[in-house]
Amino acid sequence: TNHATVSGSACQALPDFCSAYTFNNGASKLDCHMFSWLAISNPLQFCPYFGNRRDLDGSGMTANTACCACGGGTSTSYSNPVQDGVLELSLNIDSTNIYRTALEDVALQQLESLFKTDYLGLVFDLVMICVPEGTYRETDNSKEWIAYSYVGRFVSVYNGDENCGSANIAAHEVGHSWGLRHSNEVVNGKDIEYGDMTGVMGFTLGALDEEAVFGNKFCYNGAHSWQLGWYMSHNLEIDPLSETYIGGLAGVDKLPNLASDEKIVLKLKHHSDRDYYLIFNHAFGANEGTLEAANTVTLTSKADSSNASTYLAAKFSAGQYATINDYGSNGEKVTIFVTAIDASANGRADVEVFTGSFADRPVSPTSGPTSGPTSRPTSGPTSGPTSMPTSGPTSAPTSGPTAGPTS
């Protein structure tokens, strides 16, 4: 057990500072807390533009002199006990008769007080709050919720010890904090939220099931792995209308020992509203618990917006191929062919991506491909991911918590 005391100095904002600013011809009153939240994304522009407005209470202070986000405030210090990265809070509140966001607010306020800040996002990259069971979910007054977080914000909240102890649930919610939306799939024309279970942004199980069966070992799908930017030195983006790819895809557990012709994620730049991502869903090591399409090559799509969900478009076993029709603006075709898969510890998938149909394949095969699958879910597509929507769903609001997996 690692016992430590986290000490440091901090800037403490003027507590009662409040000033008015004009946004889109309307007036808004901002204290330092809200000023920090707004200024953190672009302080070099926000503070110079609004920072000299005077305090409404007549103190003579401005945001530039009162608020830490703009270089104001006063210096103070803090010292807090931490054990194994965890700080225990005692809150003077009944956790069995309130909504979960109310308990979250009280916890954040105490953390702000302990670390002498008006906005924890200035101190921490991530704050994961584990609350005792008993709080209500706002939408239906249920106490059987698992966890939630805010897309693009640092806070995630977990209901009870079991959910708090699940690495898989944490990876899902922290994924939202990193800006990821859900991994979906279209089945029989119906948009299934969480439907892509190849990675943690799809449907996730409770902690006990994961520990007993899957070992909590899931990674992110191809589109999300690209968005996170973790493997960029091992990723590759091509325009398949002008470039051909013939090479390998390695699973994430093989890092960093990749062969010269192996990539982790292959991004296919599209010519409309979405891109495609190929990844080898190698069920080994860090990804051995993947729930779907183990040891296959998966194709996911994501609209150009960073705010969009991803969609599982196709799954390929060795010898299977698919042609995406109308890939470009002039109706061009792109074909993906998985020539071989080795699922051993040091294995890989061999892939070809080229313009046109399978008959236009640039490499002469020594033997023909196996016949394509007859239906989409279990063995891959026959002609291309035609069931995938042409555009993603409307974006969810960023102000409220994203719904965690319900079971």
Side-chain angles (χ1 to χ4, degrees):
T1 301
N2 180 21
H3 297 270
T5 299
V6 178
S7 302
S9 60
C11 172
Q12 195 164 25
L14 182 69
D16 299 323
F17 174 82
C18 186
S19 188
Y21 302 94
T22 302
F23 301 98
N24 299 324
N25 299 320
S28 298
K29 295 180 180 181
L30 304 178
D31 58 14
C32 284
H33 178 92
M34 285 301 297
F35 208 99
S36 296
W37 184 76
L38 291 167
I40 192 171
S41 62
N42 203 342
L44 296 179
Q45 292 185 14
F46 197 90
C47 294
Y49 189 78
F50 294 113
N52 288 321
R53 305 291 177 88
R54 296 288 177 178
D55 179 18
L56 294 180
D57 294 332
S59 67
M61 301 291 288
T62 67
N64 285 340
T65 58
C67 299
C68 302
C70 295
T74 59
S75 179
T76 186
S77 61
Y78 58 82
S79 180
N80 300 308
V82 174
Q83 178 178 327
D84 294 329
V86 178
L87 177 65
E88 185 172 329
L89 298 178
S90 296
L91 306 178
N92 186 22
I93 188 171
D94 181 1
S95 65
T96 61
N97 277 318
I98 59 172
Y99 286 118
R100 57 187 187 174
T101 51
L103 187 56
E104 173 201 340
D105 289 341
V106 174
L108 289 176
Q109 290 168 12
Q110 183 161 330
L111 286 171
E112 289 169 355
S113 176
L114 289 171
F115 289 94
K116 309 295 184 181
T117 181
D118 61 328
Y119 183 66
L120 286 168
L122 298 174
V123 181
F124 301 108
D125 294 322
L126 296 169
V127 174
M128 302 168 68
I129 301 176
C130 300
V131 301
E133 294 179 352
T135 58
Y136 295 101
R137 180 167 51 205
E138 290 78 4
T139 54
D140 57 6
N141 288 330
S142 171
K143 294 185 177 183
E144 300 302 317
W145 58 278
I146 293 177
Y148 68 90
S149 59
Y150 302 87
V151 175
R153 293 184 61 190
F154 61 89
V155 178
S156 53
V157 184
Y158 305 83
N159 187 24
D161 292 341
E162 183 175 304
N163 295 320
C164 191
S166 167
N168 184 247
I169 294 172
H172 182 103
E173 300 305 337
V174 169
H176 285 313
S177 294
W178 287 333
L180 306 183
R181 294 283 180 177
H182 289 144
S183 300
N184 302 342
E185 187 171 10
V186 174
V187 179
N188 297 325
K190 184 179 181 181
D191 190 340
I192 307 298
E193 191 171 18
Y194 307 105
D196 173 9
M197 295 183 288
T198 63
V200 296
M201 297 312 294
F203 181 76
T204 55
L205 301 179
L208 293 181
D209 285 342
E210 290 161 2
E211 291 166 1
V213 181
F214 304 107
N216 279 343
K217 293 185 178 179
F218 290 75
C219 294
Y220 297 91
N221 69 20
H224 284 147
S225 293
W226 185 281
Q227 184 177 345
L228 290 170
W230 287 349
Y231 321 121
M232 293 310 291
S233 62
H234 301 285
N235 294 344
L236 178 66
E237 179 179 0
I238 67 168
D239 181 349
L241 297 183
S242 59
E243 303 171 75
T244 296
Y245 179 80
I246 301 175
L249 295 176
V252 295
D253 198 73
K254 197 173 182 180
L255 286 165
N257 301 312
L258 272 60
S260 60
D261 69 334
E262 292 178 344
K263 302 298 177 185
I264 296 295
V265 183
L266 180 64
K267 177 181 178 181
L268 311 183
K269 183 178 180 181
H270 203 243
H271 286 240
S272 59
D273 66 337
R274 61 183 55 245
D275 298 311
Y276 292 93
Y277 303 82
L278 282 169
I279 194 169
F280 177 32
N281 190 34
H282 194 192
F284 186 83
N287 193 52
E288 68 182 15
T290 181
L291 285 171
E292 183 178 7
N295 297 319
T296 68
V297 172
T298 61
L299 179 71
T300 51
S301 72
K302 183 176 179 295
D304 291 339
S305 169
S306 62
N307 206 33
S309 297
T310 67
Y311 285 85
L312 179 60
K315 298 167 267 188
F316 302 85
S317 297
Q320 293 183 332
Y321 70 95
T323 297
I324 305 175
N325 299 309
D326 298 322
Y327 192 91
S329 57
N330 297 316
E332 297 93 338
K333 297 179 179 180
V334 168
T335 295
I336 301 163
F337 178 32
V338 177
T339 60
I341 290 178
D342 176 1
S344 65
N346 293 314
R348 58 181 268 170
D350 288 285
V351 177
E352 298 175 9
V353 180
F354 51 90
T355 305
S357 62
F358 188 81
D360 302 309
R361 184 184 177 202
V363 176
S364 298
T366 57
S367 61
T370 60
S371 59
T374 56
S375 60
R376 45 163 305 287
T378 57
S379 55
T382 56
S383 60
T386 55
S387 62
M388 185 183 58
T390 56
S391 61
T394 57
S395 58
T398 56
S399 58
T402 60
T406 56
S407 61

